[in-house]
Amino acid sequence: MGHVNVCLKWLFIVFNTLSGIVGIVFMVLGRLASSTATIQGGKMNVVWLAYLLGGAIAVMSFVGVLGAIQQKTSVLKVFCGFVFIGMLICVIFGAYVASQRSASTKEGQEFLSTAQFKEELKTHQDMYKFECCGTNHYTDWGPILPDSCSCPPMYQGTPTCQSVWTFGTRYIYKEPCVPYLLRMLNTVIDIVVGIFFGLAIVALIGIFMAIVMILQIRSTNEDVRPPPYHGANFSQTFV
C-alpha cells in the first residue's frame, strides 16, 4: 500500500464527507416533500429524482472516503469512474433544462393566461402570498380589488407598490401576476441549472483529487519495489 500526501488525503476525506451530507440532505428533502402533500405526476418524479441523486452522492462519497482511508487505487478508480458518469449526467441534465427555458416560459405563459387560473389566482392569491395584482394589469380584476393586492405599510413608497384610485386611494402591488410568476419560474430554472452544473464542478474536483492520490500511491509503490536480482550475471563474472 502506497502513501499519499496527508493534507491531500484529509482534504479528500472532508470533501467527500461534506458531499455525503449534501446527498443525505437531498434525500431528506425528498422525504419531506413526499410526506407533506399528496404528490402526483411530475411532482412525484421530482421526489424520486431527489432520492436518486441524494443516494448516488452519498454512496459515491462513502466510496471516496473508503478509498482514501485504505489508500487503494482500485477503490479510487471505481470512485473516479462512477463520479465521472455522474458528472456527465449532471452536465447533460443541466444543458437540457437550460435549453428548455424558452419553451417552459412559453408554456407557463399559456397556462397563466387561462381563465381558470386567472379566477383561481384572484380567489386564492392571499393563500399563495404572491406580491402581485391582476394578471397583466391590476384592472383585470375589476374595480373591486381583493385585499391580497394591498401592499403592507413597509412597502408603501417603494417601487414595489403603486397608488391607485379604486373607491378611494389604495396602495397595491405594482407588478402584475403573470410577469411576476414567469420571473419566479425563470428563477427556479436558473437555480436547477446552477445545481446541476455546480454538482458537475464538484465532481470534477473530486476526480482530480482522486487521480492525484492514485498517482502518488503508484509512485510510492514503485519507489519501494526491490531492485531486480542479478545473481546469475554476478556469478558468471568469476567463471
Side-chain angles (χ1 to χ4, degrees), residues 69-100:
I69 293 176
Q70 295 183 347
Q71 297 186 27
K72 289 186 176 181
T73 57
S74 58
V75 179
L76 291 174
K77 287 178 181 178
V78 171
F79 171 83
C80 289
F82 281 101
V83 172
F84 180 76
I85 294 173
M87 182 185 68
L88 290 181
I89 293 175
C90 287
V91 171
I92 292 172
F93 270 96
Y96 175 77
V97 174
S99 66
Q100 295 297 311

Side-chain angles (χ1 to χ4, degrees), residues 61-200:
S61 299
F62 174 77
V63 173
V65 172
L66 184 65
I69 293 176
Q70 295 183 347
Q71 297 186 27
K72 289 186 176 181
T73 57
S74 58
V75 179
L76 291 174
K77 287 178 181 178
V78 171
F79 171 83
C80 289
F82 281 101
V83 172
F84 180 76
I85 294 173
M87 182 185 68
L88 290 181
I89 293 175
C90 287
V91 171
I92 292 172
F93 270 96
Y96 175 77
V97 174
S99 66
Q100 295 297 311
R101 176 171 179 167
S102 299
S104 299
T105 302
K106 183 178 179 181
E107 292 178 2
Q109 189 170 9
E110 293 176 355
F111 173 74
L112 296 175
S113 300
T114 59
Q116 179 181 358
F117 181 80
K118 290 179 181 179
E119 187 62 29
E120 182 180 356
L121 180 62
K122 181 180 178 181
T123 306
H124 301 95
Q125 185 195 3
D126 187 50
M127 179 180 66
Y128 297 143
K129 304 297 182 182
F130 293 149
E131 296 180 353
C132 58
C133 186
T135 50
N136 294 293
H137 195 266
Y138 75 90
T139 56
D140 296 337
W141 288 354
I144 302 178
L145 299 176
D147 293 337
S148 56
C149 281
S150 300
C151 287
M154 66 179 66
Y155 286 173
Q156 295 178 8
T158 65
T160 305
C161 293
Q162 63 178 341
S163 175
V164 298
W165 177 266
T166 55
F167 302 101
T169 302
R170 288 185 60 182
Y171 286 94
I172 64 172
Y173 290 111
K174 184 177 182 180
E175 188 174 13
C177 288
V178 170
Y180 174 83
L181 294 175
L182 289 177
R183 180 164 55 84
M184 290 183 61
L185 174 62
N186 288 327
T187 301
V188 171
I189 293 175
D190 291 340
I191 292 174
V192 172
V193 173
I195 290 175
F196 277 119
F197 282 112
L199 290 175

